[in-house]
Amino acid sequence: MNRLKTDSFFTMTGIKQIAVLLCKILFLLCIAFVSFQVFFCNDAYDYNKLLLLGIAAAGLLLLALAYKLAAPRKAILERYFSFVLGGYLLVMFILEVAFGLRLRFTPVFDMGAVYDGAITWVDTGAIEPYREYFHYFPNNLGLLTLLKIVFSLGKALGITDYFLLGILLGALSLCLMMFSVFMICRKLLGADYTIVAMVLTALCFPLYFSAAAFYSDVMSMAAPPLFYLLYLYSREASSWQKRLALYLGMALVAGIGMEIKFTVLIIVIAAGIEMLLSEDIRRLLAMAAIHVAVIAAIFGITNRIFYPSLLDKEQARLQNTPIYHWIMMGAKGNGSYNPEDYEFTRSFSDPEQRDEALKQEIVKRYSQMGLSGYWDLLKKKTVTALGDGTYAISDFLDDGPVNETSLHDYILYSSPKYGSYRTLCQGSYLLVLLLMLTGGIGSLLAGLKRERQEHKGRDSIIPPLAFLGLWMFLMLWETSGRYFSNYISILLLCAVWGTAYLGRLLTPTQK
């Protein structure tokens, strides 16, 4: 009997179960580390920890109240779910646009190049004043193309308030992100926990003000959860035709999202890993083939748009900022932007010589810091990259504000009441992290007990893997408080999973 158990332990299925368990352990260790550093070691921001816990506790009570009111009315909520969802999204869209208009500003730096470049492209058919910028940063060509398309449509309709069009586009991305999150929650947890997700999302205060900051972070927010939603539908597809059509939709979402911000690739990889561990090899191969073809086509079309009519291919080869640059910059200080590294990268005229020098500098920096220095770097970068509950959107909002409103007394870095706004945001963000930690513990315990769940998708490893992948990427790359924000949907999903495990713990009869 024991021999049989031991043998089954080493079957392919047993190995894959161990791999899933390992993924859960890694996620739990990661979110525990992030939560600890953000709360206890947040030297970048001065917070009253008791006040943060009070805000998080108030938020948790609000979530508990929402569930208590929603659970007995689950059948009614399911029946009228489309009206509830539509009303919620409509209110959020109106608020985002209204706040966005009040928070108008003058885009500069990267957002300025993309925004003004799109306007120039619409008005003149060229991007001449911004050629050098896009030779250096081709990663923003996708967003430039999207804004140009929207601004062109607006101009054809007689709308030349391009900032308004940008706000509308940002609000659309935010609402599409929320729609996907709520549909995922309804599918996997039911309408009652979807109400909890709605309340938790409403407590993420920076989302109300993010439509005005329609840069790559906000404009790629919709991609990860929409991709995951389509993936869930593909698992339930009744035929290969439907499944392949959904794979095509996933590939389009992934490709467009990656053109705007390449980190969208992380959730694609997470889905591939789950499919591999679920023994869906045929489906994995089909999905991979479609994704490679579609994503390559999207990137190829974008290149054809710009080269050689708008940008020079040889100049781009000489000037394109290599990925080694951001890795090098991420290995110094707390990993944030520093102009000296840009001077170093651009001091070389030969791209091959430059790339070799960058690789040597990366090795040098990590060698000099040693293991203890690397551990300190991870702690600093974790706080910088994942420690700001405002999602650092004020990086944009304080660039030449057009209006003077009461909102500006709270939102901008130099505002007299910014500390209050930041503390409120940080408290609600702490709640999200703690719920993610709860979900990680619950998922691991369920996995150890090999419990069968009524909602199979509740134990999906894609959201935890995506968060783990995001953290690993941010620990390698340049750090900023903004760079995690296009995955806020994944944090919310992991947090709602946490509420489900917490509710199950408090009410053992709950499935």
Side-chain angles (χ1 to χ4, degrees):
M1 186 75 172
N2 291 336
R3 175 66 177 272
L4 289 174
K5 286 185 178 180
T6 303
D7 289 343
S8 66
F9 183 79
F10 290 102
T11 63
M12 186 58 67
T13 300
I15 292 172
K16 289 176 180 178
Q17 288 175 345
I18 294 171
V20 170
L21 204 60
L22 180 60
C23 290
K24 294 181 179 182
I25 292 172
L26 289 174
F27 168 74
L28 180 57
L29 291 174
C30 179
I31 187 58
F33 176 75
V34 170
S35 300
F36 181 86
Q37 294 301 320
V38 169
F39 183 69
F40 290 104
C41 308
N42 202 332
D43 297 332
Y45 312 99
D46 183 22
Y47 292 114
N48 183 319
K49 292 181 174 58
L50 288 177
L51 184 56
L52 291 184
L53 288 174
I55 294 170
L60 184 61
L61 288 175
L62 192 59
L63 295 180
L65 177 61
Y67 179 75
K68 185 176 181 180
L69 293 174
R73 300 166 179 81
K74 186 175 181 178
I76 298 175
L77 289 171
E78 290 287 358
R79 189 183 312 159
Y80 298 102
F81 183 80
S82 57
F83 295 100
V84 175
L85 178 62
Y88 182 97
L89 294 177
L90 178 61
V91 170
M92 292 298 290
F93 184 84
I94 291 172
L95 288 174
E96 288 158 3
V97 173
F99 286 131
L101 291 172
R102 292 173 67 82
L103 293 170
R104 279 178 181 263
F105 59 94
T106 305
V108 294
F109 305 119
D110 296 281
M111 184 174 175
V114 176
Y115 174 71
D116 294 325
I119 295 173
T120 302
W121 192 3
V122 170
D123 292 340
T124 68
I127 55 173
E128 197 60 38
Y130 304 96
R131 279 168 56 90
E132 183 177 24
Y133 172 85
F134 289 107
H135 280 141
Y136 278 123
F137 300 109
N139 53 293
N140 273 330
L141 292 177
L143 180 57
L144 174 66
T145 304
L146 176 62
L147 291 182
K148 193 266 184 180
I149 292 171
V150 172
F151 292 173
S152 296
L153 290 174
K155 187 176 183 179
L157 296 173
I159 304 172
T160 55
D161 185 347
Y162 297 120
F163 201 90
L164 169 62
L165 293 174
I167 290 172
L168 292 172
L169 195 60
L172 182 62
S173 176
L174 289 161
C175 287
L176 184 55
M177 178 269 287
M178 295 177 195
F179 167 83
S180 302
V181 168
F182 301 150
M183 289 298 292
I184 292 167
C185 290
R186 184 197 184 191
K187 175 176 285 293
L188 301 182
L189 298 173
D192 48 354
Y193 278 108
T194 306
I195 298 300
V196 173
M198 289 179 176
V199 174
L200 183 60
T201 302
L203 293 176
C204 296
F205 301 106
L207 296 180
Y208 295 101
F209 315 119
S210 293
F214 49 89
Y215 188 54
S216 58
D217 313 290
V218 170
M219 294 312 304
S220 62
M221 275 188 182
L226 182 56
F227 176 91
Y228 183 41
L229 178 63
L230 293 174
Y231 165 80
L232 292 175
Y233 280 118
S234 75
R235 293 199 315 186
E236 301 171 352
S238 57
S239 67
W240 268 100
Q241 289 85 349
K242 292 180 180 179
R243 188 172 296 120
L244 293 176
L246 287 164
Y247 289 162
L248 177 60
M250 291 164 60
L252 288 170
V253 170
I256 295 171
M258 288 166 60
E259 269 287 9
I260 297 173
K261 200 168 188 69
F262 201 73
T263 52
V264 171
L265 176 63
I266 293 170
I267 197 164
V268 181
I269 296 173
I273 293 174
E274 176 166 288
M275 292 180 75
L276 179 64
L277 296 179
S278 300
E279 302 185 70
D280 292 332
I281 304 300
R282 288 178 60 207
R283 297 182 184 183
L284 173 60
L285 292 175
M287 187 190 84
I290 291 174
H291 276 66
V292 169
V294 171
I295 292 172
I298 290 173
F299 276 74
I301 290 170
T302 303
N303 283 335
R304 289 291 299 271
I305 290 172
F306 289 96
Y307 304 103
S309 58
L310 296 171
L311 297 173
D312 182 79
K313 195 69 176 176
E314 177 59 20
Q315 196 66 25
R317 187 184 73 84
L318 296 174
Q319 290 184 256
N320 279 181
T321 305
I323 61 172
Y324 303 115
H325 166 80
W326 285 288
I327 297 174
M328 176 187 71
M329 196 156 55
K332 181 178 181 181
N334 65 355
S336 298
Y337 166 88
N338 69 79
E340 292 82 7
D341 280 349
Y342 274 95
E343 291 178 10
F344 178 76
T345 299
R346 295 177 183 178
S347 65
F348 299 91
S349 57
D350 182 358
E352 294 182 0
Q353 183 183 7
R354 175 200 63 199
D355 291 353
E356 185 61 33
L358 291 176
K359 285 187 280 187
Q360 291 178 4
E361 182 64 21
I362 292 168
V363 173
K364 175 184 174 183
R365 292 185 182 185
Y366 279 106
S367 298
Q368 288 179 342
M369 71 177 69
L371 287 177
S372 62
Y374 180 61
W375 179 245
D376 289 338
L377 178 67
L378 289 182
K379 292 190 289 186
K380 291 177 183 177
K381 293 185 74 172
T382 295
V383 171
T384 304
L386 290 159
D388 189 353
T390 71
Y391 317 156
I393 59 166
S394 297
D395 283 359
F396 301 109
L397 302 180
D398 66 353
D399 293 333
V402 174
N403 305 310
E404 291 185 12
T405 70
S406 57
L407 270 178
H408 290 87
D409 293 337
Y410 293 89
I411 302 298
L412 308 186
Y413 290 131
S414 59
S415 300
K417 300 177 182 178
Y418 178 73
S420 299
Y421 165 72
R422 187 181 66 186
T423 300
L424 181 63
C425 293
Q426 192 73 8
S428 63
Y429 178 60
L430 177 63
L431 173 61
V432 172
L433 293 180
L434 293 177
L435 288 173
M436 290 174 68
L437 181 61
T438 303
I441 294 171
S443 179
L444 179 60
L445 291 177
L448 290 171
K449 295 177 182 178
R450 296 187 178 182
E451 294 180 0
R452 293 180 60 86
Q453 307 233 0
E454 181 183 4
H455 302 287
K456 184 180 178 182
R458 180 185 299 181
D459 222 30
S460 170
I461 63 171
I462 291 180
L465 270 182
F467 178 79
L468 179 61
L470 178 67
W471 178 81
M472 293 172 65
F473 170 80
L474 294 174
M475 293 306 99
L476 180 68
W477 209 248
E478 174 204 5
T479 50
S480 164
R482 292 189 292 107
Y483 291 172
F484 85 97
S485 61
N486 68 325
Y487 269 81
I488 189 64
S489 58
I490 300 304
L491 274 69
L492 288 171
L493 285 173
C494 292
V496 176
W497 264 238
T499 66
Y501 285 114
L502 189 59
R504 192 178 176 200
L505 179 65
L506 297 176
T507 54
T509 56
Q510 180 186 331
K511 295 293 184 182

